[in-house]
Coordinates of all heavy atoms in Angstrom, one line a residue:
Y1 N -73.5 -124.6 33.6 CA -74.7 -125.2 34.1 C -75.8 -125.1 33.2 O -76.6 -126.0 33.0 CB -75.1 -124.6 35.5 CG -74.2 -124.9 36.6 CD1 -73.3 -124.0 37.1 CD2 -74.2 -126.2 37.2 CE1 -72.4 -124.3 38.2 CE2 -73.4 -126.5 38.2 CZ -72.5 -125.5 38.7 OH -71.7 -125.9 39.8
G2 N -75.9 -124.0 32.5 CA -77.0 -123.8 31.5 C -77.0 -124.8 30.4 O -78.1 -125.4 30.0
N3 N -75.9 -125.0 29.9 CA -75.8 -126.0 28.8 C -76.1 -127.4 29.3 O -76.7 -128.2 28.6 CB -74.3 -126.0 28.2 CG -74.1 -124.8 27.3 OD1 -75.0 -124.1 26.9 ND2 -72.8 -124.5 27.2
F4 N -75.6 -127.8 30.5 CA -75.9 -129.1 31.1 C -77.4 -129.3 31.3 O -78.0 -130.3 30.9 CB -75.1 -129.2 32.4 CG -75.4 -130.5 33.0 CD1 -74.9 -131.7 32.5 CD2 -76.1 -130.6 34.2 CE1 -75.1 -132.9 33.1 CE2 -76.3 -131.8 34.8 CZ -75.8 -133.0 34.3
I5 N -78.1 -128.3 31.9 CA -79.5 -128.4 32.1 C -80.3 -128.4 30.8 O -81.2 -129.2 30.7 CB -80.0 -127.2 33.0 CG1 -79.4 -127.3 34.4 CG2 -81.5 -127.1 33.1 CD1 -79.6 -126.1 35.3
Q6 N -79.9 -127.7 29.8 CA -80.5 -127.7 28.5 C -80.4 -129.0 27.9 O -81.3 -129.5 27.2 CB -79.9 -126.6 27.6 CG -80.6 -126.5 26.2 CD -82.1 -126.0 26.4 OE1 -82.4 -125.2 27.2 NE2 -82.9 -126.6 25.6
S7 N -79.2 -129.7 28.0 CA -79.0 -131.0 27.4 C -79.9 -132.0 28.1 O -80.5 -132.9 27.4 CB -77.5 -131.4 27.6 OG -76.7 -130.6 26.9
I8 N -80.1 -131.9 29.4 CA -81.0 -132.8 30.1 C -82.4 -132.6 29.7 O -83.1 -133.6 29.4 CB -80.8 -132.7 31.7 CG1 -79.5 -133.1 32.1 CG2 -81.9 -133.4 32.4 CD1 -79.2 -132.9 33.6
V9 N -82.8 -131.4 29.6 CA -84.2 -131.1 29.1 C -84.4 -131.6 27.7 O -85.4 -132.3 27.4 CB -84.5 -129.6 29.2 CG1 -85.8 -129.3 28.5 CG2 -84.5 -129.2 30.7
N10 N -83.5 -131.4 26.8 CA -83.6 -131.9 25.4 C -83.7 -133.4 25.4 O -84.5 -134.0 24.7 CB -82.4 -131.5 24.6 CG -82.5 -130.0 24.2 OD1 -83.6 -129.4 24.3 ND2 -81.4 -129.5 23.9
F11 N -82.9 -134.1 26.2 CA -82.9 -135.6 26.3 C -84.2 -136.1 26.8 O -84.8 -137.0 26.2 CB -81.8 -136.1 27.2 CG -81.8 -137.5 27.5 CD1 -81.4 -138.4 26.5 CD2 -82.4 -138.1 28.6 CE1 -81.4 -139.8 26.7 CE2 -82.4 -139.4 28.8 CZ -81.9 -140.3 27.9
L12 N -84.8 -135.4 27.8 CA -86.1 -135.8 28.4 C -87.2 -135.7 27.3 O -88.1 -136.5 27.2 CB -86.4 -135.1 29.7 CG -85.5 -135.4 30.9 CD1 -85.8 -134.5 32.0 CD2 -85.7 -136.9 31.2
I13 N -87.2 -134.5 26.6 CA -88.2 -134.3 25.6 C -88.1 -135.3 24.5 O -89.2 -135.9 24.1 CB -88.1 -132.8 25.1 CG1 -88.5 -131.8 26.2 CG2 -89.0 -132.6 23.9 CD1 -88.2 -130.4 25.8
I14 N -87.0 -135.5 24.0 CA -86.8 -136.5 22.9 C -87.1 -137.9 23.3 O -87.8 -138.6 22.7 CB -85.4 -136.4 22.3 CG1 -85.2 -135.0 21.6 CG2 -85.1 -137.5 21.3 CD1 -83.8 -134.7 21.2
G15 N -86.7 -138.2 24.5 CA -86.9 -139.6 25.0 C -88.4 -139.8 25.3 O -88.9 -140.9 24.9
S16 N -89.1 -138.9 25.8 CA -90.5 -139.1 26.1 C -91.3 -139.1 24.7 O -92.3 -139.8 24.6 CB -91.1 -137.9 27.0 OG -90.9 -136.7 26.4
S17 N -90.9 -138.3 23.8 CA -91.5 -138.3 22.4 C -91.4 -139.7 21.8 O -92.3 -140.2 21.2 CB -90.9 -137.2 21.5 OG -91.1 -136.0 22.1
V18 N -90.2 -140.2 21.8 CA -90.0 -141.6 21.2 C -90.8 -142.6 22.0 O -91.4 -143.5 21.4 CB -88.4 -141.9 21.3 CG1 -88.2 -143.4 20.9 CG2 -87.7 -141.0 20.3
Y19 N -90.8 -142.5 23.3 CA -91.6 -143.5 24.1 C -93.1 -143.4 23.8 O -93.7 -144.5 23.5 CB -91.4 -143.2 25.6 CG -92.2 -144.0 26.5 CD1 -91.9 -145.3 26.7 CD2 -93.4 -143.5 27.1 CE1 -92.7 -146.1 27.6 CE2 -94.2 -144.2 27.9 CZ -93.9 -145.5 28.2 OH -94.6 -146.3 29.0
L20 N -93.6 -142.2 23.7 CA -95.1 -142.1 23.3 C -95.3 -142.6 21.9 O -96.4 -143.2 21.7 CB -95.5 -140.6 23.5 CG -95.5 -140.1 25.0 CD1 -95.9 -138.7 25.0 CD2 -96.5 -140.9 25.8
F21 N -94.4 -142.3 21.0 CA -94.6 -142.8 19.6 C -94.6 -144.3 19.6 O -95.5 -144.9 18.9 CB -93.5 -142.2 18.7 CG -93.6 -142.7 17.3 CD1 -94.6 -142.2 16.4 CD2 -92.7 -143.7 16.9 CE1 -94.6 -142.7 15.1 CE2 -92.8 -144.1 15.6 CZ -93.7 -143.7 14.7
M22 N -93.7 -144.9 20.3 CA -93.7 -146.4 20.3 C -94.9 -147.0 20.9 O -95.4 -148.0 20.5 CB -92.4 -146.9 21.0 CG -91.1 -146.5 20.3 SD -91.1 -147.1 18.6 CE -91.0 -148.9 18.9
R23 N -95.4 -146.3 22.0 CA -96.6 -146.8 22.6 C -97.8 -146.7 21.7 O -98.6 -147.7 21.6 CB -96.9 -146.0 23.9 CG -96.0 -146.2 25.1 CD -96.5 -147.3 26.1 NE -97.9 -147.3 26.4 CZ -98.4 -147.1 27.5 NH1 -97.6 -146.9 28.6 NH2 -99.7 -147.2 27.7
L24 N -97.9 -145.6 21.0 CA -99.0 -145.4 20.0 C -98.9 -146.5 18.9 O -99.8 -147.1 18.5 CB -98.9 -144.0 19.4 CG -99.9 -143.8 18.2 CD1 -101.3 -143.7 18.8 CD2 -99.5 -142.4 17.6
F25 N -97.7 -146.7 18.4 CA -97.4 -147.7 17.3 C -97.9 -149.1 17.8 O -98.5 -149.9 17.1 CB -96.0 -147.7 16.9 CG -95.7 -148.7 15.8 CD1 -96.1 -148.4 14.5 CD2 -95.0 -149.9 16.1 CE1 -95.8 -149.4 13.5 CE2 -94.7 -150.8 15.1 CZ -95.1 -150.5 13.8
E26 N -97.4 -149.4 19.1 CA -97.8 -150.8 19.6 C -99.3 -150.9 19.8 O -99.8 -152.0 19.5 CB -97.1 -150.9 21.0 CG -97.3 -152.3 21.6 CD -96.6 -152.4 23.0 OE1 -96.0 -151.4 23.4 OE2 -96.7 -153.5 23.6
T27 N -99.9 -149.9 20.3 CA -101.4 -149.9 20.5 C -102.1 -150.1 19.1 O -103.0 -151.0 19.0 CB -101.9 -148.6 21.1 OG1 -101.2 -148.4 22.3 CG2 -103.4 -148.7 21.3
L28 N -101.7 -149.4 18.1 CA -102.3 -149.6 16.8 C -102.0 -151.0 16.2 O -102.9 -151.6 15.6 CB -101.8 -148.5 15.8 CG -102.2 -147.1 16.1 CD1 -101.5 -146.1 15.2 CD2 -103.7 -146.9 16.1
F29 N -100.8 -151.5 16.4 CA -100.5 -152.8 15.9 C -101.3 -153.9 16.6 O -101.9 -154.8 16.0 CB -99.0 -153.1 16.1 CG -98.6 -154.4 15.6 CD1 -98.5 -154.6 14.2 CD2 -98.3 -155.4 16.5 CE1 -98.0 -155.9 13.8 CE2 -97.9 -156.7 16.0 CZ -97.8 -156.9 14.7
N30 N -101.5 -153.7 18.0 CA -102.3 -154.7 18.7 C -103.7 -154.6 18.3 O -104.4 -155.7 18.2 CB -102.1 -154.5 20.2 CG -100.8 -154.9 20.7 OD1 -100.1 -155.7 20.0 ND2 -100.4 -154.4 21.8

């Protein structure tokens, strides 16, 4: 269970980081 939960947390952190970076890039481009 620990590895599974850690994988989910890592996925959420990386996914949210990529999402925020893309929003920032889009805002600057616009």
Side-chain angles (χ1 to χ4, degrees):
Y1 289 105
N3 289 338
F4 179 71
I5 292 171
Q6 184 65 38
S7 296
I8 291 175
V9 170
N10 287 341
F11 175 78
L12 292 175
I13 291 172
I14 293 170
S16 61
S17 299
V18 170
Y19 174 76
L20 291 175
F21 176 75
M22 293 305 292
R23 290 266 320 238
L24 175 66
F25 181 75
E26 182 181 3
T27 303
L28 293 175
F29 181 74
N30 288 340

